[in-house]
Amino acid sequence: MKTKYLAALLATTIAVPAHADVLVDNVSGITMDEEGKVKRFEALVIDDDGRIAQLIERGEDRPRTDYREDGEGRVMLPGMIDAHAHVMGVGFGALTLDLSDTNSLDEALERIRTFAAENEARPWILGRGWNQEKWGLGRFPTAAELDSAVADRPVYLERVDGHAGWANTLAMQAAGITAASKAPSGGKIELLADKKTPSGVFIDLAMDLVNKAVPAPRAVERDLALAEAQKVFHRYGITAVADMGTTIEDWQSFRRAGDAGSLNLRIMSYAFGPEQMVLIGGSGPSLWLYDDKLRLNGVKLYLDGALGSRGAWLKRPYADDPGNYGLPLQTPAQLRNNLVRAAQGGFQPAVHAIGTAANAELLNAIDEIAGSFDGDRRWRVEHAQIVDPADLPKLADNGIIASMQPLHQTSDRLMAEARLGMDRLDGAYAWNTILDLGGTLAFGSDAPVEPADAFAGYAVAITRMDANGEPFGGWLPSERVNREQALAGFTSKAAYAGFAEGRFGRLLPGERADFILVDNDPLLATPEEIRATKVFETWVNGRKVYEAD
């Protein structure tokens, strides 16, 4: 295990010359300038601190440097920034069972059966990615169905959105769950037809009933997961991530990697709730560490669940489940107390809000308390998927940032139509309206809920169509953004959302030399070409950390 761990850490950095002046020449460079306009260049110089010393435009002389790298005419872009992802979730997803590409319950059960047979030494079978909507099941799966695949060990699998868990009988027994078990506030235990027996599916905070019985990963396993996550992000051309829900164990893994010199992904960290916020940060956000590669920015809070599990909190009941309004995960008083607690310490709140009621409650709470705090707060609304049109203008107030994930729109389109009805979709994934109203957009993936594929997200942002070109002309096409806005959302605006502007996110003198070499110009290529973009190289802080085969 130790040998494998060391090999994984070493694989995260590719040997390049020690820091010295480097000219990266013969590129078709694209970045955003200080005014948010596109700037093109043909070469750049990296200083010995890993920062950009000079951009060289067409016709300008090249300076003499210690080293020269030939970009071979490829397109150079700023490193992509994922404004909302789960770093360790991506890493553990690479090490555990992934059901995200299964298309039916039978296919998933066969995948589970095969994984268990190939991993006989694992005391629990863990994984994620199931989606009963994608399977066309019309209901949640059951423990009995999971028992049919694996009955000799506990099995626990998170839904694709992370807001529901599916357990087999042995997992429920290990957690002490019986017909007498009660769901905590903000959670729900799905029941069988007898209305008494737990079915095996646990929604939102009820997931904690099972999670407490799942063996915690060891430190060496966490470090291996981080190494795997870095490889995944770098392969997609991502050089920085806002980590939504950092625990103290995650933070220690980040710190161990930083101390060892193997942290090559910039992590803007948001602690998993107020307790972890204080445990990690103490009295306030951390300093920028390891050459701007790690900082605790703020705290991740949850106000509701997800559409897929009908946990998103709505003003009106679900169209396909009358009487169900979703699950508020905090009372109004709790929300305001948590926002004030964070703001008093200088922590940046990032609040998960998906449904109309959740977004309205959060926007009203911010409006009530924002005036009590001086300075640039940048309150973050994470997802902002279904917002009442009457509330959309509030996303432009109080320096709010709408942190949104384009791939969710294509994954959730049919489900959103079923959950809400066609007459309630105004304000759904309303990217362009938010910008027109003066709001700020930062784009991400929510990986591992969606692939950490910024170019697929970029293609969706400008088309509102999925990989198959559906629906023709785009879903609610007036909410498309233009190409420059999409690029900014995945670079400069994502950096701004994490208080990192001026440090990274653009290829300008003084900022960190984080860039990628790719085969397509996203400002000119077709959406299909953008989706298929090949990342040749990924550089962080002036060092090459990924090179395609």
Side-chain angles (χ1 to χ4, degrees):
M1 183 67 174
K2 184 176 291 186
T3 301
K4 182 179 180 183
Y5 162 59
L6 292 174
L9 288 180
L10 291 172
T12 61
T13 304
I14 295 171
V16 294
H19 278 326
D21 285 352
V22 177
L23 171 68
V24 185
D25 200 0
N26 188 22
V27 299
S28 178
I30 303 169
T31 192
M32 313 298 289
D33 66 15
E34 292 89 342
E35 285 75 43
K37 297 180 180 179
V38 173
K39 182 179 182 66
R40 292 183 178 269
F41 57 93
E42 291 188 343
L44 60 74
V45 177
I46 305 168
D47 68 18
D48 60 6
D49 194 35
R51 300 178 189 273
I52 297 167
Q54 182 182 354
L55 287 188
I56 300 168
E57 299 181 34
R58 179 179 296 179
E60 293 182 342
D61 293 335
R62 273 58 170 165
R64 296 185 63 179
T65 58
D66 298 306
Y67 299 96
R68 178 183 181 274
E69 287 274 333
D70 185 357
E72 300 181 1
R74 293 167 173 165
V75 174
M76 176 185 284
L77 299 171
M80 306 302 271
I81 301 175
D82 194 317
H84 182 120
H86 306 275
V87 172
M88 299 302 284
V90 170
F92 281 117
L95 300 173
T96 56
L97 176 59
D98 182 5
L99 299 175
S100 60
D101 61 348
T102 57
N103 295 302
S104 69
L105 174 60
D106 287 342
E107 182 184 352
L109 292 174
E110 183 58 32
R111 181 80 60 82
I112 296 164
R113 190 177 294 114
T114 300
F115 184 87
E118 293 174 348
N119 294 272
E120 293 181 351
R122 299 195 182 198
W124 281 64
I125 300 300
L126 303 173
R128 58 165 304 281
W130 60 272
N131 186 346
Q132 83 284 1
E133 295 294 325
K134 184 178 179 182
W135 294 345
L137 199 57
R139 59 173 175 81
F140 284 119
T142 66
E145 288 164 332
L146 197 46
D147 290 342
S148 72
V150 182
D152 64 337
R153 280 170 285 171
V155 182
Y156 187 58
L157 308 166
E158 287 193 2
R159 194 181 183 277
V160 64
D161 57 14
H163 287 271
W166 177 23
N168 72 349
T169 299
L170 286 181
M172 289 194 289
Q173 290 176 357
I177 294 168
T178 68
S181 298
K182 303 296 183 183
S185 176
K188 181 180 180 182
I189 300 174
E190 289 292 316
L191 303 176
L192 296 177
D194 63 8
K195 304 299 182 183
K196 296 186 299 183
T197 307
S199 72
V201 169
F202 302 83
I203 297 173
D204 287 316
L205 296 185
M207 296 169 65
D208 292 342
L209 299 175
V210 183
N211 283 329
K212 67 182 183 182
V214 177
R218 297 172 299 163
V220 67
E221 293 165 338
R222 291 183 178 278
D223 293 348
L224 179 58
L226 175 57
E228 290 296 318
Q230 292 191 93
K231 288 189 283 187
V232 170
F233 285 114
H234 290 153
R235 187 169 68 246
Y236 282 116
I238 294 167
T239 56
V241 173
D243 184 53
M244 288 294 161
T246 306
T247 66
I248 185 63
E249 294 85 1
D250 299 338
W251 181 260
Q252 291 298 87
S253 286
F254 302 158
R255 291 297 305 263
R256 285 193 294 272
D259 292 342
S262 59
L263 183 63
N264 296 302
L265 177 72
R266 300 196 190 278
I267 300 177
M268 299 169 283
S269 172
Y270 294 81
F272 184 69
E275 289 71 26
Q276 296 290 317
M277 174 186 80
V278 174
L279 191 60
I280 297 170
S283 60
S286 75
L287 301 173
W288 284 98
L289 305 171
Y290 312 116
D291 295 328
D292 296 335
K293 289 178 183 172
L294 180 63
R295 181 180 189 249
L296 177 69
N297 277 3
V299 60
K300 170 72 178 298
L301 303 171
Y302 286 87
L303 190 49
D304 68 345
L307 277 176
S309 53
R310 296 188 184 87
W313 183 24
L314 304 178
K315 291 183 176 182
R316 294 164 53 190
Y318 282 86
D320 60 355
D321 189 8
N324 183 2
Y325 288 80
L327 293 171
L329 302 183
Q330 298 185 55
T331 66
Q334 287 171 331
L335 172 65
R336 286 157 177 78
N337 287 341
N338 284 326
L339 290 175
V340 169
R341 182 180 178 185
Q344 285 178 335
F347 294 102
Q348 182 188 19
V351 187
H352 169 118
I354 287 183
T356 50
N359 279 284
E361 184 65 36
L362 174 59
L363 293 170
N364 289 336
I366 292 172
D367 191 56
E368 290 171 19
I369 68 176
S372 301
F373 298 97
D374 297 329
D376 185 3
R377 291 291 165 178
R378 303 186 198 178
W379 314 86
R380 292 179 60 132
V381 181
E382 302 302 319
H383 307 308
Q385 288 182 5
I386 312 295
V387 183
D388 187 325
D391 295 320
L392 281 171
K394 300 175 185 176
L395 282 164
D397 297 336
N398 300 307
I400 290 172
I401 293 165
S403 169
M404 305 181 75
Q405 301 75 45
L407 286 176
H408 280 332
Q409 182 263 298
T410 51
S411 296
D412 293 356
R413 173 175 62 91
L414 297 178
M415 180 176 63
E417 292 174 358
R419 294 286 189 266
L420 301 173
M422 296 300 295
D423 62 329
R424 293 164 58 188
L425 293 175
D426 289 343
Y429 313 86
W431 312 320
N432 189 54
T433 296
I434 291 169
L435 289 177
D436 282 348
L437 290 169
T440 300
L441 280 183
F443 282 147
S445 69
D446 203 10
V449 176
E450 303 282 357
D453 189 342
F455 289 102
Y458 183 109
V460 171
I462 66 173
T463 65
R464 308 277 289 195
M465 294 190 294
D466 64 20
N468 298 317
E470 296 291 337
F472 180 77
W475 189 68
L476 306 178
S478 64
E479 294 297 351
R480 292 178 295 211
V481 299
N482 65 38
R483 291 170 183 249
E484 291 81 3
Q485 291 166 336
L487 182 60
F490 279 109
T491 56
S492 58
K493 294 299 183 182
Y496 174 84
F499 284 94
E501 74 277 13
R503 296 177 184 271
F504 53 87
R506 300 173 302 180
L507 298 178
L508 296 176
E511 296 205 16
R512 297 289 181 178
D514 300 350
F515 60 84
I516 56 177
L517 297 177
V518 299
D519 63 344
N520 285 315
D521 181 339
L523 302 179
L524 301 174
T526 67
E528 294 77 15
E529 290 170 337
I530 293 169
R531 274 188 175 272
T533 295
K534 180 178 178 61
V535 178
F536 293 111
E537 296 179 8
T538 301
W539 290 59
V540 175
N541 217 50
R543 295 179 65 86
K544 190 187 302 181
V545 297
Y546 167 78
E547 186 169 12
D549 293 336

